[in-house]
Amino acid sequence: MPQLDWANLPFGYIKTDYNVRSYYKDGKWGDIEVSDSEYIHMHMAATCLHYGQEAFEGQKAFRCPDGKIRMFRIEENARRLQNTARGLLMPEVPTELFVEMAKRVVKLNERFVPPYESGASLYLRPLLIGMSAEIGVRPSQEYLFIIMVSPVGPYFKGGFHTNDYAIVRNYDRAAPHGTGAYKVGGNYAASLAANKVAHEAGFACEIYLDAREHKYIEEIGAANFFGVRGNTYITPKSTSILPSITNASMRQLAADLGFNVEVRPVPEDELTTFDEAGAVGTAAVISPIGRIVDLDTGKEYVISKDGEPGPVCKQLYTKFRNIQYGLEPDVHGWITFVD
Ligand SMILES: *Cc1c(COP(=O)(O)O)cnc(C)c1O
C-alpha cells in the first residue's frame, strides 16, 4: 500500500480492502458477507434510486495511545438507523448485526486505521437502501445494508479554531413533520443549494432556521447547534432536527461538569446573548463559532470577540476527545473496542 499522509487526508473517499454487507430478503436479514468490490449490483428501478429509500449513518474508529481501536457509542448509531428505517418504511437493522458488522469492517481494514499521532481516523459509513424494482411509489421488498469505510484526516488541521456561519432564510432543510429527524440522503440533497450559497459568500457552512416561522435556530448544515451562556449549555429542540449523538454526549458531559442543560427552541435573537457557541457532530466534535451573519437581514452576531474558541468549547472538546481515545475513564459505557 502506498504510504498515506494520514495527517493531511481530506474528508474524502479512499479505497480500502473490504466492505461488509447483509441483504434483507423474504422478511429477514442474511449472513454477513465480506466484499472487496466497491460496487453494488442493483436493478435500475430500485426504490433507493427513484424514491429516496436511502438512510445512512456516520461514525469513526480511532487508534488510541494504548494501541487499541475504539468506536464511540456505536449502539446509538444502530438505534438512530432503526428510527430512520421506521420513518421510511424500511426494515430495521438489529443492533447486534449493526455492531458486529461495524467491528468486522474495521478489523478487516485495520491497516487503514490511522496512527493516533496523526489525528486522523477511520470513518465508517453504514448505508441502508431499498433494492427491489418498483414503478409505483411503495416501499421495496428487498434491502441492502452495507458498511464501507474510508480513512479521513483530522477536522482541525491548523489546530482548534473558530469558523463563521451564514443564516439562510430562503432555504429550508426540513419541515416540522418532514424527514429532518431522519438521517436520509434526501435532506442532504435539499441542503446542497444553500450550502453553495454560504460557501460562495465565504462562510464555512449554512445555518437553517425553523421552516414554519424562520425564527428559531435549527441546524448548522449537517451538525447541531449549541450556545453557552454563563453556566448553561443551550441547544435547540425541534421535530426537524437530526438528533446528534455528539450533542447528546455533550449535554451529558456538560451536566457532569456542573453546567445547566437546556433543550428548547432557541430564537435567532438569542445569539446576541451567548458567550460561546458551536456546531456539534461526528466530523468536528465541536466546531466553535466566531461570527454568524444573517444573509438576508444583514444582521451580524459576533460570538467570539477575539476569534478564538472559548473556554467551555475547549473544555468540552478536550473531555470528549479524551474519552474517545481512552485517556479518561469511560464512566458512561460509551466505548466499544474492536478486536
Ligand atoms: C449526522 C448529522 C448530525 C450529527 O450527528 P452525530 O451523531 O453527532 O454525528 C447533525 N445533523 C445532521 C443533519 C446530520 O445528518
Side-chain angles (χ1 to χ4, degrees), residues 80 173 183 188 219 221-224 242 244-246 280-282:
R80 188 168 63 188
R173 173 185 160 272
K183 210 167 174 76
Y188 281 73
E219 288 214 72
N224 280 183
L242 195 283
S244 154
I245 298 164
T246 316
V280 57
T282 295

Side-chain angles (χ1 to χ4, degrees), residues 162-169 203 207 209 214-217 225 266-277 289-305 307:
T162 61
N163 280 305
D164 296 342
Y165 295 90
I167 293 173
V168 288
R169 290 173 169 273
F203 295 92
I207 296 183
L209 301 178
H214 291 125
K215 181 172 168 196
Y216 301 99
I217 306 272
F225 171 88
V266 178
E268 178 183 329
D269 293 346
E270 197 174 344
L271 289 174
T272 57
T273 71
F274 291 133
D275 304 318
E276 298 181 38
I289 298 176
R291 212 163 51 92
I292 295 173
V293 175
D294 188 321
L295 289 184
D296 301 287
T297 65
K299 276 191 197 153
E300 179 174 346
Y301 306 91
V302 178
I303 308 278
S304 167
K305 307 253 172 332

Side-chain angles (χ1 to χ4, degrees), residues 98-332:
F98 187 106
V99 174
E100 177 63 26
M101 286 174 68
K103 286 182 180 173
R104 277 280 280 286
V105 75
V106 175
K107 193 71 192 164
L108 285 163
N109 293 291
E110 193 167 352
R111 69 192 186 101
F112 291 95
V113 182
Y116 166 67
E117 295 72 23
S118 67
S121 57
L122 186 70
Y123 184 74
L124 283 77
R125 170 52 63 82
L127 181 71
L128 173 61
I129 53 178
M131 293 288 278
S132 42
E134 296 289 349
I135 285 293
V137 181
R138 65 178 70 89
S140 176
Q141 298 295 309
E142 298 179 354
Y143 293 83
L144 168 61
F145 176 58
I146 186 164
I147 307 184
M148 53 172 254
V149 297
S150 183
V152 296
Y155 183 89
F156 294 104
K157 294 202 168 67
F160 198 47
H161 61 79
T162 61
N163 280 305
D164 296 342
Y165 295 90
I167 293 173
V168 288
R169 290 173 169 273
N170 295 327
Y171 300 87
D172 296 318
R173 173 185 160 272
H177 299 291
T179 56
Y182 305 134
K183 210 167 174 76
V184 297
N187 295 338
Y188 281 73
S191 77
L192 291 174
N195 186 259
K196 181 164 181 266
V197 166
H199 276 164
E200 286 178 356
F203 295 92
C205 199
E206 76 282 13
I207 296 183
Y208 297 98
L209 301 178
D210 74 290
R212 196 197 307 268
E213 294 183 74
H214 291 125
K215 181 172 168 196
Y216 301 99
I217 306 272
E218 283 260 310
E219 288 214 72
I220 307 194
N224 280 183
F225 171 88
F226 73 93
V228 175
R229 186 167 61 245
N231 198 35
T232 306
Y233 178 102
I234 302 154
T235 192
K237 183 186 176 81
S238 153
T239 55
S240 46
I241 288 177
L242 195 283
S244 154
I245 298 164
T246 316
N247 189 7
S249 309
M250 285 304 169
R251 295 200 295 271
Q252 180 66 56
L253 295 181
D256 293 351
L257 290 165
F259 287 84
N260 306 310
V261 174
E262 293 178 8
V263 183
R264 56 158 171 84
V266 178
E268 178 183 329
D269 293 346
E270 197 174 344
L271 289 174
T272 57
T273 71
F274 291 133
D275 304 318
E276 298 181 38
V280 57
T282 295
V285 177
I286 285 176
S287 178
I289 298 176
R291 212 163 51 92
I292 295 173
V293 175
D294 188 321
L295 289 184
D296 301 287
T297 65
K299 276 191 197 153
E300 179 174 346
Y301 306 91
V302 178
I303 308 278
S304 167
K305 307 253 172 332
D306 58 3
E308 293 298 317
V312 179
C313 284
K314 277 189 202 153
Q315 186 181 20
L316 289 172
Y317 178 83
T318 304
K319 182 130 190 109
F320 188 99
R321 299 287 286 181
N322 283 349
I323 296 170
Q324 281 185 326
Y325 282 119
L327 296 168
E328 282 195 39
D330 172 27
V331 297
H332 297 292

Side-chain angles (χ1 to χ4, degrees), residues 15-34:
K15 183 182 187 304
T16 60
D17 293 333
Y18 301 105
N19 57 84
V20 292
R21 307 176 181 206
S22 174
Y23 288 90
Y24 182 89
K25 281 194 184 108
D26 304 322
K28 56 181 191 301
W29 290 101
D31 292 341
I32 299 171
E33 297 173 19
V34 175

